[in-house]
Amino acid sequence: LVASVANASSEVKVVVYDGPKKCSNKEGDEKLMKVEADCTVGLHFTVTIDESSVGSRENIGRKIESSRDGMGVAPSFPVGQGRVIAGLDQGLIGLCRGASAYIIVPPHLAYGRYGKPEQGVGGDTTLRYDVEIADIQPPVPNDFIK
């Protein structure tokens, strides 16, 4: 069974293909179950050039980067704070701990018209992130913002 998480305010497409499709965070729970803005998420990912990309068809499906290539551990970062491309930030929100999903990120929410040539990503490239949500931690309080 495949569940699609729609986000009407963006063009990011998220499809959960394994693991929990619905979850929620309850006040007082030690473990967060759902990715929310400002939570720190630990995930494995593989990013490839999506089949919907325009331009050269020879790069379709080509792997750009994977957390499983030499990193060994799942990277983590706060969601929604601009630490990753905008489309990935948007696509992670609402996913559940233990879920596997793919996130299709259009060019304007990825590397734009110029691409990222040093990684072999041409301009106006649509990316596909295959992600596995390994961990979700609550936001870290910021005592400087009050």
Side-chain angles (χ1 to χ4, degrees), residues 22-94:
K22 292 188 179 208
C23 56
S24 61
N25 294 325
K26 294 181 178 79
E27 192 71 35
D29 281 353
E30 283 187 32
K31 287 175 97 173
L32 295 181
M33 299 307 294
K34 183 178 184 178
V35 177
E36 296 176 349
D38 299 323
C39 289
T40 297
V41 66
L43 75 158
H44 276 293
F45 70 92
T46 299
V47 60
T48 57
I49 295 176
D50 189 63
E51 63 188 18
S52 66
S53 274
V54 296
S56 175
R57 303 303 294 168
E58 66 192 39
N59 287 325
I60 301 300
R62 186 174 63 71
K63 181 168 65 171
I64 297 165
E65 183 179 14
S66 177
S67 63
R68 298 199 183 272
D69 293 345
M71 290 185 193
V73 296
S76 62
F77 55 89
V79 175
Q81 295 184 5
R83 303 270 178 100
V84 296
I85 62 171
L88 182 58
D89 257 348
Q90 289 179 21
L92 290 170
I93 292 175

